[in-house]
Amino acid sequence: MLFKVAMIILLIVIIFLVIKYLYVQAKILSSREFRKTAEKKSAVMQVYDPQITCDYCGYIINTAKDSKCPNCGAVYGGDKELKKRYRVDAAAVEKMADDAAKDAVSRAHKKGLETLRHIRIAILALAGVFVLMIVFSLIADRIAPSGAYRYRSNEKVKDYDYKDYKLISSPELTILDRDDVEVRLMSIYADTDNGKYNNQSYSYRVGFSLINKRPDPVHFCLKCVGINGRSKSRDYIYLYSYFEGKSQVLFYESVYGEWFDSIDEMVFGEISISDDNGKIYEDKTMKVFKISDDGYTAITDDNDKGSVVFENDKVRIRSLIKEKRDRGYDLWIENRSKNDYYINTSYMKVGGTAYNSYILYDSGLPAGYTLHHDSVCVPGEEFEKRADDAVVEMSFSFSDPVDPTNDFSTGYIELK
């Protein structure tokens, strides 16, 4: 902030000096200044001794007092002595104008150099402040903990000025309780426009409290993999932030996702703490937190959509080709077991040719939940312009974070 203020002040000074330079130049070189200089030059040619001798009677005439000879009355306008003392001819006038111009240019140059020197100093100072700002930024980045952009601090619930939120729940649930770090889910806010417009996802903000009892800063990672019976490829909340040592912070995270009328249950699938030396704590088991004792209203609008392309005693997978074929397929994966799973996909085959397809990467699917992904595709013309009868296949692997013996893969299955 200090650097910004200094730069603004220096810019104002530079602008002022430039205006001053232009004003001084224009003033000195103006016709009025030329006239003043010319008058000063012409003063040199004025008569300094007003007394002359009368050409007719030899009487001494005081030209400053008498307009003619007081002795004989002769007019001295054509007096030879007077003409010698005060001679104005064309050459003298030209020289006078030239001298006046030279004097004005000289003074303008002198004043201009002085102002330009001040401008140069101000520009160098501005450049110096800019360089110092870069140096301090680099130093701050170097001494800052690796991977950290800023420490999280106490925040306000509003994430954008055009949104307003109302408190809908204050569960104050303990998510992590350790001797060194404690995390609690404090509150849930909903955008006041929730449900006001059709075909728009609802907007929620979740308040967390973190107490770092360690003297050193920590990274804290938290993933919300399920809400109200639903999962998706992108975590509803992905928190990876840095917290200062010996601090207590209240902060907020936005929820990205489905069409929830409310948030009644949340599942966190990964919690980890680390410092500059590595992981201090990590837990990838899924933990269910009840926000409402009344349970939640399950989303059933799409329960029968698509075709079943894989089914066993653990999961059922449905797919549906989208109207815009370049978007690929809608995909639903239902977890029918009591086990939690992380799902990964690595390749998709289009007409027998395999393409990298990291559509699902450690996507959490808690027990009893359904994962919905609405754009299963491979970027590129090969996919977009595929033949109508081209076979599109995908393989899925499921891993249980608690019991690896429950892990399994589907192999390639055809999407329809």
Side-chain angles (χ1 to χ4, degrees):
M1 183 65 182
L2 183 62
F3 286 117
K4 291 182 179 179
V5 172
M7 292 179 71
I8 291 172
I9 292 174
L10 286 171
L11 283 172
I12 294 173
V13 170
I14 291 172
I15 293 172
F16 170 76
L17 289 173
V18 169
I19 294 173
K20 178 182 176 182
Y21 172 80
L22 296 174
Y23 172 77
V24 169
Q25 296 295 298
K27 183 175 184 297
I28 293 178
L29 297 178
S30 67
S31 60
R32 182 179 179 183
E33 288 297 312
F34 270 116
R35 186 166 60 251
K36 287 183 178 180
T37 305
E39 288 173 355
K40 291 179 181 179
K41 292 291 183 181
S42 65
V44 178
M45 305 178 69
Q46 297 295 330
V47 177
Y48 293 99
D49 185 2
Q51 293 184 344
I52 61 172
T53 303
C54 179
D55 291 339
Y56 300 98
C57 68
Y59 190 82
I60 301 299
I61 305 171
N62 187 348
T63 58
K65 179 181 179 182
D66 302 315
S67 59
K68 59 183 179 180
C69 180
N71 184 42
C72 66
V75 178
Y76 57 80
D79 187 83
K80 296 178 181 180
E81 186 179 357
L82 182 62
K83 287 183 178 181
K84 288 180 180 180
R85 291 189 186 184
Y86 186 62
R87 179 184 299 174
V88 180
D89 54 21
V93 172
E94 186 177 348
K95 185 177 184 305
M96 179 183 66
D98 187 51
D99 289 344
K102 287 180 179 180
D103 181 74
V105 171
S106 176
R107 286 190 297 117
H109 180 67
K110 183 178 179 180
K111 289 285 186 181
L113 286 178
E114 182 180 353
T115 307
L116 288 174
R117 182 171 63 85
H118 293 155
I119 293 175
R120 190 180 299 111
I121 293 172
I123 292 175
L124 289 175
L126 180 64
V129 171
F130 184 73
V131 170
L132 283 175
M133 184 173 64
I134 294 175
V135 171
F136 273 95
S137 298
L138 293 174
I139 293 174
D141 288 342
R142 184 174 293 274
I143 64 175
S146 58
Y149 292 99
R150 63 178 179 87
Y151 293 123
R152 293 293 288 266
S153 58
N154 290 326
E155 299 172 352
K156 296 181 179 179
V157 67
K158 291 184 67 173
D159 51 352
Y160 297 104
D161 290 339
Y162 58 84
K163 286 185 178 180
D164 289 307
Y165 292 91
K166 62 180 180 180
L167 180 66
I168 61 173
S169 179
S170 301
E172 298 190 15
L173 301 172
T174 300
I175 297 174
L176 178 65
D177 188 6
R178 288 171 47 91
D179 292 338
D180 52 356
V181 177
E182 179 183 333
V183 181
R184 291 172 61 82
L185 194 163
M186 301 299 292
S187 55
I188 297 176
Y189 290 81
D191 185 355
T192 54
D193 285 336
N194 274 6
K196 185 175 181 180
Y197 304 103
N198 294 326
N199 300 321
Q200 290 189 1
S201 59
Y202 297 148
S203 177
Y204 292 94
R205 294 278 280 170
V206 179
F208 293 93
S209 170
L210 184 143
I211 302 175
N212 182 14
K213 304 172 187 176
R214 295 166 55 88
D216 302 319
V218 295
H219 283 291
F220 178 68
C221 178
L222 177 70
K223 295 182 181 180
C224 178
V225 297
I227 293 178
N228 293 6
R230 280 285 172 150
S231 297
K232 62 191 185 73
S233 58
R234 180 186 178 188
D235 300 313
Y236 289 112
I237 295 176
Y238 179 79
L239 166 63
Y240 187 73
S241 297
Y242 209 82
F243 295 86
E244 199 169 7
K246 296 293 184 181
S247 64
Q248 180 172 349
V249 179
L250 177 64
F251 61 97
Y252 297 89
E253 292 290 325
S254 295
V255 175
Y256 300 95
E258 296 279 354
W259 301 71
F260 305 119
D261 292 326
S262 61
I263 294 181
D264 305 297
E265 180 177 283
M266 302 181 74
V267 182
F268 295 106
E270 180 179 344
I271 300 175
S272 67
I273 305 170
S274 59
D275 60 14
D276 288 342
N277 297 320
K279 288 279 176 65
I280 301 171
Y281 170 83
E282 183 176 29
D283 186 1
K284 293 191 70 174
T285 60
M286 298 184 194
K287 297 177 175 59
V288 179
F289 292 89
K290 302 288 185 180
I291 310 299
S292 170
D293 294 332
D294 298 332
Y296 58 84
T297 302
I299 299 174
T300 58
D301 296 350
D302 52 5
N303 278 0
D304 298 322
K305 287 185 178 180
S307 302
V308 176
V309 294
F310 180 86
E311 186 172 14
N312 63 12
D313 61 339
K314 298 178 179 178
V315 300
R316 184 172 75 156
I317 303 175
R318 291 177 286 128
S319 70
L320 175 66
I321 190 167
K322 300 184 78 68
E323 292 183 7
K324 293 184 177 181
R325 298 181 75 247
D326 61 325
R327 296 292 305 278
Y329 299 81
D330 268 296
L331 188 72
W332 294 267
I333 305 175
E334 304 166 44
N335 187 349
R336 307 163 75 179
S337 73
K338 296 181 180 180
N339 307 314
D340 301 323
Y341 286 106
Y342 286 102
I343 311 172
N344 285 284
T345 61
S346 54
Y347 290 96
M348 179 187 289
K349 283 185 178 179
V350 181
T353 302
Y355 298 92
N356 286 328
S357 175
Y358 296 100
I359 292 171
L360 302 178
Y361 179 74
D362 276 351
S363 299
L365 181 61
Y369 271 58
T370 297
L371 183 149
H372 175 223
H373 185 62
D374 65 353
S375 183
V376 179
C377 61
V378 179
E381 291 186 359
E382 295 85 353
F383 181 80
E384 295 176 11
K385 298 181 179 180
R386 66 191 184 279
D388 291 338
D389 59 351
V391 176
V392 178
E393 302 168 283
M394 178 175 271
S395 64
F396 302 83
S397 61
F398 296 79
S399 59
D400 185 335
V402 176
D403 186 358
T405 61
N406 292 320
D407 296 357
F408 69 97
S409 297
T410 64
Y412 280 102
I413 56 177
E414 182 180 354
L415 302 183
K416 300 178 182 178

